[in-house]
Amino acid sequence: MSLSILVLTVYAVAAQPAASGGVDFGRDIQPILAKRCFACHGPDKGEGGLRLNRRETAVAELDSGTHGIVPGNPDESELIRRITSEEEGERMPPEGKPLAADQVDLIRRWIADGAKWEEHWAFQPVVRPVVPDVKDRDWGRNPIDAFLLNRLEQNRLSPAAPAPNVALARRAYYDLTGLPPTPAEVEAFVQDTSPDSYERLVDRLLASPRYGERWARHWLDAVRYAETNSFERDGAKPHAWRYRDYVIRSFNDDKPYDQFVREQLAGDEMTPVTPERLIATGFYRLGLWDDEPADRLQAQFDTLDDLVTTTGQVFLGLTVNCARCHDHKIDPIPQHDYYSLLAFFRGIRPMTTTGPNIERPLFTSDADRLAYEDRVRDNEKRRNELQARVTGLENEFAAAYRKASDATLAANDIDDLEYRFYRDHWERLPDFDNIKPETVGTIADGRFDIGLATRESDFGFVFTGFLKVPADGEYTLIVDSDDGSRLTVAGRQVITYDGIHSVGQPQRATVALKQGLVPIRLDYFQAVGGRGLRVAWSGPGFAQRSLSAEGQRPAADGNLGELLRSHGRAVMGDGWYADYRRLFHQLERLRREPVQADYALCVTEDRNPPETFVLSRGNAHVPGAKVEPGFLAAIGGGTATIPSPSPEQQTAGRRSVLADWIASSDNRLTARVMVNRIWQQHFGRGIVGSPNNYGYLGDRPTHPELLDWLAAEFMAGGWRIKSLHRTIMLSSAYRMSSQGNAAGLEKDPHNGLFWRFNLRRLSAEEVRDSLRAVSGELNSRMYGPSYYPKLSDEVMATQSAPGNGWGKSPPEEQARRSIYIHVKRSLITPLLADFDFPDTDASCEARFVTTQPAQALGMLNGDFLHEQARDFAERLRREAGDDRTAQVRLALRLALSREADEASVARGVALIDQLERDHGLDARQSLDYYALVVFNLNEFVYVD
């Protein structure tokens, strides 16, 4: 059965009209209009003057003089005439099959009843519904059961019998921890006859650190978590693993969901700004990033669209992104609202490979930060003291060399000079830090040199190094360039000479500098023709000297540094030269080993964001009307009030306003969306079958009152996720068996009404982790940088840089849980990919569950499976000795979390005997293969 047929079948059962025969607009009519009519008669389009997204436009006079809908009179309604017409040119909808007879009947009855219109269910405020009364009052344990049983009784269905304790224990362990229970854990639960044994089991699992590892993965699916950027190079995102660890800790700590939302959207704007909150804003950096786009401006808005898309779908369950180029064709989201939402993110600094745009140091306290700053100052002080001593020795050598040889020396005033080269056309100085350079390199003679350019025009440079200041005092710096240039000394811009112009009008600045190594940076761009750059300086004790490869400078017989290396010992003696080299190496070590700190991948923002405009057809080069930050009108939003930032504030404060609106108990979607995600992971399907789309084309909830009761309960309970788990798992509904019965299978074969529990296959991570756990090789160490699993040479050969990182993690690291595997967008670990690991390019609302050949091939023939089978067999030999029957019994007990029946044990022993007898294997090899067979049992990879 195809997915579309499945969805329609579930919808037909779960959303059928009430037994009274009444037609409900939201349940019965709106889905038909949205799916079959809105393409031509929706919010974005109204052919013939008919728009069916609002009542006032639906009943208005059409261009033809008729009315699309005449309330109370279906025969006078043009809509009825057109959907029942047998003439091909008149029948609507014009594409696809005509509406089914029962759909036409629903529309006719709805119009006859007055065409009553109500707001879309998801756009209405959350109101705690009354818990319904039921006939069978003995079955339910909490209100969840009453809501489900009420619908079952309406459809003359009965809930399934309770699941056996062994199955219930395995279900709870996998749901909450993603790992199988040990036989001892199952046995303890089965033997515990106290009335609260199951409640205590659930509480124990919720308190387990394994819980956070399991449930963090669900959230990472939703927020498109990966540790690389995609595109050609698919480079790594620095420190991305810290965001993963933040999510794990948040679930384990039972952090209130509203706080969880605020920290990710605006953690850097909260008080106080903690390392945890900075790490949380890594949410903004998880998406795709092209480090070399053909159109940089369009790419910038593509990145912003990714943020709008992910925020809308993950937190609000809305496809806001559909309104990027035009008004949303289905939902009441105008293009203006899309750009008003985008305006909250407009000031976010672009993604880069590394650097201050995306990385910030982490301090656990003010004392920690002050201690770091003290270490930096101490490092700088020692570096400057060493530089002064080295410079003094260099001056001694220069004087002695000039006296001995009557030669002149070229001063080397800049150390560690590096350059970044760019190819593009500019008319003003760009922000080079947001542009990927074409090449990078070093300049040995310490002079700014644009002669390194590989073209005559349309290029740029960034030079960075350390200016060697000989003494405290005032220094004059001079820049003359063709075209734009910007000189920054000691972190302060001292000369900006922007625009297109010619040399001949030098700019000067006088600055006070301290003795030692002072950071210096020069940005330069060349537009057309010309080409010229002259930089010089003068100061106490020396006349003007050039800092650039061009410009006036005296002819020199040699470079000081080169001559020191070749003649220093001969001119100054062994002792002097040894002292010089010792001090020089100390200085180099201080330069190359800066004070270390932990860094976070996080958001950074400009205090004064650029203005936001509606972009015509989404084209970044065609701005239209200006917009201000604002909320979605469809769910009760409006203009946002943005407080003026305080003097010490580094951001515009917009994202805090957005976060507060999303995380508010007044928001109509936030709680509904999250409780549905939790329900989905427990029951295999959400109450809303489209977790990322609560709009008109999304699935209507099968149990809307239950959804609202859960949402209201969630908010009233302080947005605590563990409390929600507990409520769901303690219900009779969760404890049902997955076994079917004749009535349920006939009337609701796809379990749209939740009359039984859904059997499910283990997720990709659960399969891999269970193999490790059962073999006894699972490493439970938590947190820290991701590891690289071993991959085959064939898989590695598909990479642009084969072998980079993969398989180099120690074996004990590779034995950790799958959530700690490095997630590379262009290379998902094969076993995980085979078992439906999600596409990381966009939010994954629900994983597919496929059955395909690669799964069987990997489970039977894969190197990883054979390694795990050998480890499993070794465990069996270690714990069961050489008794073959005991080995088989233990294998099934460990893998299936239950005692093995005698028939299964006998078959296992017979198989091992046959492998030895008919295939010439020894006892060790035959047990290895039996262990592999156990791993391939359906019962091992499915949860009842």
Side-chain angles (χ1 to χ4, degrees):
M1 177 176 287
S2 71
L3 177 63
S4 58
I5 295 175
L6 168 62
V7 171
L8 288 174
T9 304
V10 171
Y11 177 83
V13 173
Q16 57 187 294
S20 63
V23 180
D24 181 276
F25 172 77
R27 182 187 61 216
D28 306 321
I29 304 302
Q30 189 183 67
I32 300 173
L33 299 181
K35 293 177 182 179
R36 302 303 309 275
C37 306
F38 276 11
C40 299
H41 304 283
D44 188 49
K45 201 171 184 182
E47 292 188 6
L50 177 62
R51 290 179 182 267
L52 292 170
N53 60 300
R54 295 164 55 199
R55 190 178 195 277
E56 53 267 37
T57 56
V59 300
E61 184 175 330
L62 306 179
D63 296 347
S64 62
T66 60
H67 289 75
I69 293 176
V70 180
N73 195 339
D75 292 333
E76 294 296 322
S77 301
E78 183 69 7
L79 175 62
I80 294 296
R81 188 183 76 81
R82 298 296 290 271
I83 64 177
T84 58
S85 175
E86 296 183 359
E87 295 185 22
E88 187 172 343
E90 281 201 334
R91 187 181 61 237
M92 294 294 162
E95 298 178 356
K97 295 181 179 180
L99 294 184
D102 60 336
Q103 293 176 316
V104 173
D105 180 62
L106 283 170
I107 295 174
R108 179 182 291 278
R109 289 162 54 200
W110 168 66
I111 295 175
D113 197 34
K116 297 173 183 176
W117 214 284
E118 61 189 57
E119 188 178 11
H120 182 56
W121 69 270
F123 301 159
Q124 299 178 42
V126 175
V127 177
R128 181 189 291 267
V130 175
V131 178
D133 195 14
V134 293
K135 297 175 183 176
D136 183 359
R137 298 186 178 183
D138 295 331
W139 180 73
R141 287 182 169 90
N142 66 28
I144 288 175
D145 299 323
F147 285 106
L148 293 180
L149 186 58
N150 177 258
R151 291 292 305 282
L152 291 175
E153 289 178 344
Q154 288 179 19
N155 287 272
R156 299 181 180 178
L157 291 174
S158 300
N165 279 347
V166 172
L168 186 59
R170 192 166 184 263
R171 180 188 302 173
Y173 269 87
Y174 269 116
D175 271 12
L176 290 181
T177 72
L179 293 171
T182 66
E185 288 169 333
V186 174
E187 183 67 18
F189 174 64
V190 171
Q191 295 299 322
D192 187 349
T193 58
S194 58
D196 64 343
S197 60
Y198 176 66
E199 286 85 344
R200 287 188 285 108
L201 172 66
V202 170
D203 290 340
R204 186 166 65 253
L205 294 178
L206 287 172
S208 167
R210 308 282 82 82
Y211 160 77
E213 293 173 323
R214 165 64 170 160
W215 279 82
R217 185 60 254 182
H218 297 318
W219 184 258
L220 297 180
D221 281 10
V223 297
R224 85 282 190 230
Y225 173 80
E227 297 174 61
T228 61
N229 296 316
S230 191
F231 293 95
E232 180 183 359
R233 276 170 288 274
D234 199 17
K237 297 177 182 292
H239 327 294
W241 58 270
R242 292 189 191 279
Y243 175 85
R244 175 207 65 210
D245 286 358
Y246 158 80
V247 177
I248 295 173
R249 287 190 172 96
S250 294
F251 275 95
N252 274 337
D253 294 344
D254 199 18
K255 180 176 292 178
Y257 181 65
D258 56 345
Q259 180 183 340
F260 187 56
V261 171
R262 287 186 173 96
E263 288 178 348
Q264 292 176 80
L265 293 176
D268 58 321
E269 296 181 343
M270 298 175 73
T271 302
V273 179
T274 63
E276 182 181 40
R277 289 170 174 172
L278 279 181
I279 292 168
T281 66
F283 163 81
Y284 288 102
R285 304 302 190 186
L286 299 178
L288 279 67
W289 175 59
D290 187 353
D291 60 10
E292 201 170 28
D295 185 333
R296 287 196 178 91
L297 183 61
Q298 191 66 35
Q300 179 184 350
F301 279 92
D302 288 346
T303 299
L304 291 170
D305 178 68
D306 171 67
L307 297 180
V308 172
T309 299
T310 307
T311 301
Q313 292 181 4
V314 171
F315 299 112
L316 300 174
L318 290 177
T319 57
V320 184
N321 51 297
C322 292
R324 179 183 185 181
C325 303
H326 46 67
D327 290 348
H328 201 297
K329 290 184 177 296
I330 304 300
D331 298 333
I333 303 174
Q335 191 182 19
H336 176 279
D337 278 16
Y338 169 91
Y339 285 98
S340 292
L341 192 61
L342 182 146
F344 286 105
F345 308 126
R346 191 69 175 89
I348 292 175
R349 292 174 188 154
M351 181 71 182
T352 55
T353 305
T354 58
N357 264 24
I358 64 169
E359 296 176 284
R360 288 176 66 177
L362 298 173
F363 304 114
T364 57
S365 64
D366 286 342
D368 186 26
R369 177 179 56 80
L370 292 172
Y372 171 79
E373 292 171 353
D374 285 343
R375 292 196 301 272
V376 170
R377 282 192 292 269
D378 181 63
N379 182 279
E380 183 178 350
K381 179 183 177 182
R382 290 190 295 127
R383 188 185 66 194
N384 289 339
E385 289 173 349
L386 278 170
Q387 180 63 55
R389 295 173 67 185
V390 168
T391 299
L393 292 175
E394 289 174 345
N395 290 338
E396 288 180 17
F397 168 79
Y401 184 81
R402 282 194 296 268
K403 183 177 181 180
S405 63
D406 196 27
T408 59
L409 300 178
N412 186 4
D413 289 332
I414 302 178
D415 269 359
D416 298 334
L417 187 59
E418 299 177 345
Y419 73 89
R420 307 198 303 263
F421 175 66
Y422 304 83
R423 291 164 56 104
D424 209 331
H425 177 79
W426 299 280
E427 296 183 355
R428 309 292 298 183
L429 275 166
D431 183 354
F432 284 112
D433 290 341
N434 294 328
I435 305 172
K436 186 180 186 300
E438 180 180 276
T439 56
V440 297
T442 60
I443 303 176
D445 72 352
R447 293 179 182 275
F448 302 129
D449 187 0
I450 62 172
L452 297 167
T454 59
R455 61 196 306 184
E456 288 301 313
S457 61
D458 298 322
F459 64 84
F461 276 99
V462 172
F463 302 95
T464 57
F466 292 93
L467 185 65
K468 297 193 293 188
V469 179
D472 293 356
E474 290 193 341
Y475 292 81
T476 299
L477 295 130
I478 305 168
V479 177
D480 192 4
S481 66
D482 177 354
D483 289 308
S485 56
R486 180 191 299 117
L487 183 65
T488 305
V489 180
R492 183 165 63 92
Q493 292 182 23
V494 296
I495 295 175
T496 300
Y497 193 24
D498 204 357
I500 298 177
H501 45 72
S502 301
V503 294
Q505 298 178 341
Q507 307 291 309
R508 288 176 168 80
T510 300
V511 294
L513 299 175
K514 294 287 187 181
Q515 180 189 48
L517 292 176
V518 174
I520 186 169
R521 167 174 170 153
L522 179 69
D523 295 30
Y524 172 89
F525 84 88
Q526 179 70 51
V528 291
R531 180 189 286 205
L533 175 67
R534 296 182 177 90
V535 185
W537 75 322
S538 62
F542 69 93
Q544 181 173 312
R545 291 204 298 251
S546 179
L547 297 173
S548 58
E550 293 186 57
Q552 300 298 319
R553 61 178 178 177
D557 296 323
N559 177 274
L560 177 61
E562 295 173 356
L563 288 172
L564 253 169
R565 286 188 289 275
S566 59
H567 295 80
R569 190 186 304 275
V571 172
M572 304 300 293
D574 289 344
W576 183 97
Y577 188 73
D579 285 343
Y580 171 77
R581 296 302 296 173
R582 176 177 55 80
L583 293 173
F584 181 83
H585 286 307
Q586 288 179 11
L587 179 60
E588 285 295 296
R589 198 158 46 247
L590 281 175
R591 290 173 181 167
R592 304 299 182 191
E593 298 176 4
V595 178
Q596 296 298 314
D598 289 332
Y599 280 81
L601 174 71
C602 61
V603 75
T604 55
E605 182 180 285
D606 292 324
R607 179 182 166 87
N608 298 304
E611 295 178 328
T612 303
F613 302 90
V614 174
L615 302 181
S616 177
R617 304 299 299 172
N619 188 333
H621 300 279
V622 189
K626 179 181 173 181
V627 299
E628 298 294 340
F631 309 124
L632 301 178
I635 51 175
T639 303
T641 301
I642 312 294
S644 299
S646 60
E648 65 277 5
Q649 190 172 319
Q650 298 179 356
T651 69
R654 294 181 174 185
R655 287 176 290 108
S656 291
V657 176
L658 175 64
D660 288 343
W661 176 69
I662 290 178
S664 168
S665 57
D666 292 330
N667 192 292
R668 303 174 187 184
L669 287 168
T670 307
R672 281 174 170 144
V673 169
M674 189 55 180
V675 300
N676 188 64
R677 294 191 193 280
I678 303 294
W679 181 277
Q680 169 188 312
Q681 300 304 335
H682 280 304
F683 283 90
R685 180 177 55 77
I687 297 171
V688 177
S690 53
N692 277 5
N693 187 359
Y694 281 49
Y696 289 168
L697 275 186
D699 293 339
R700 185 174 174 82
T702 56
H703 298 75
E705 294 83 8
L706 172 58
L707 180 68
D708 277 10
W709 184 87
L710 288 169
E713 188 78 2
F714 184 45
M715 291 186 287
W719 301 79
R720 296 286 182 175
I721 293 174
K722 286 188 178 182
S723 177
L724 180 61
H725 284 305
R726 201 172 189 277
T727 300
I728 290 173
M729 294 182 67
L730 296 187
S731 68
S732 294
Y734 181 83
R735 304 191 212 188
M736 285 190 294
S737 166
S738 64
Q739 296 299 309
N741 60 58
L745 291 173
E746 179 182 358
K747 197 163 189 177
D748 184 15
H750 299 292
N751 199 25
L753 294 173
F754 298 105
W755 57 270
R756 63 170 174 163
F757 201 82
N758 286 317
L759 182 75
R760 74 170 178 90
R761 197 200 66 203
L762 298 181
S763 68
E765 294 91 337
E766 286 174 312
V767 170
R768 188 181 183 279
D769 293 348
S770 295
L771 292 168
R772 289 281 192 187
V774 172
S775 69
E777 298 299 315
L778 184 66
N779 178 357
S780 60
R781 188 175 74 81
M782 300 178 68
Y783 307 125
S786 300
Y787 66 88
Y788 294 83
K790 180 182 177 182
L791 301 181
S792 69
D793 292 341
E794 293 81 1
V795 172
M796 294 301 302
T798 65
Q799 294 297 287
S800 58
N804 185 18
W806 295 98
K808 296 181 180 179
S809 298
E812 62 272 16
E813 280 292 296
Q814 297 187 46
R816 297 174 69 200
R817 291 196 69 174
S818 301
I819 194 171
Y820 300 112
I821 289 178
H822 177 72
V823 182
K824 185 177 179 68
R825 282 193 157 99
S826 61
L827 181 57
I828 301 299
T829 301
L831 181 67
L832 301 185
D834 290 345
F835 282 91
D836 308 310
F837 190 85
D839 176 9
T840 58
D841 289 355
S843 173
C844 174
E845 63 177 5
R847 293 191 185 186
F848 290 111
V849 179
T850 65
T851 302
Q852 38 93 3
Q855 295 166 356
L857 291 171
M859 292 291 285
L860 283 171
N861 303 319
D863 289 343
F864 178 74
L865 262 294
H866 280 262
E867 290 172 3
Q868 294 310 300
R870 287 193 293 271
D871 289 340
F872 187 24
E874 184 59 37
R875 179 182 183 181
L876 299 177
R877 283 186 285 270
R878 187 171 60 248
E879 297 183 14
D882 295 328
D883 185 331
R884 186 157 292 172
T885 299
Q887 290 173 342
V888 171
R889 195 181 304 280
L890 179 61
L892 295 172
R893 187 166 179 252
L894 290 170
L896 307 181
S897 303
R898 63 170 175 82
E899 294 296 334
D901 57 86
E902 293 304 320
S904 298
V905 174
R907 283 196 299 270
V909 172
L911 175 60
I912 296 174
D913 290 342
Q914 183 182 9
L915 289 172
E916 291 187 12
R917 182 182 64 252
D918 298 343
H919 298 278
L921 303 182
D922 59 30
R924 178 174 294 274
Q925 291 172 320
S926 60
L927 186 59
D928 290 350
Y929 276 110
Y930 177 70
L932 182 66
V933 169
V934 172
F935 282 154
N936 279 271
L937 294 174
N938 268 357
E939 193 176 346
F940 177 71
V941 295
Y942 278 85
V943 179
D944 193 348

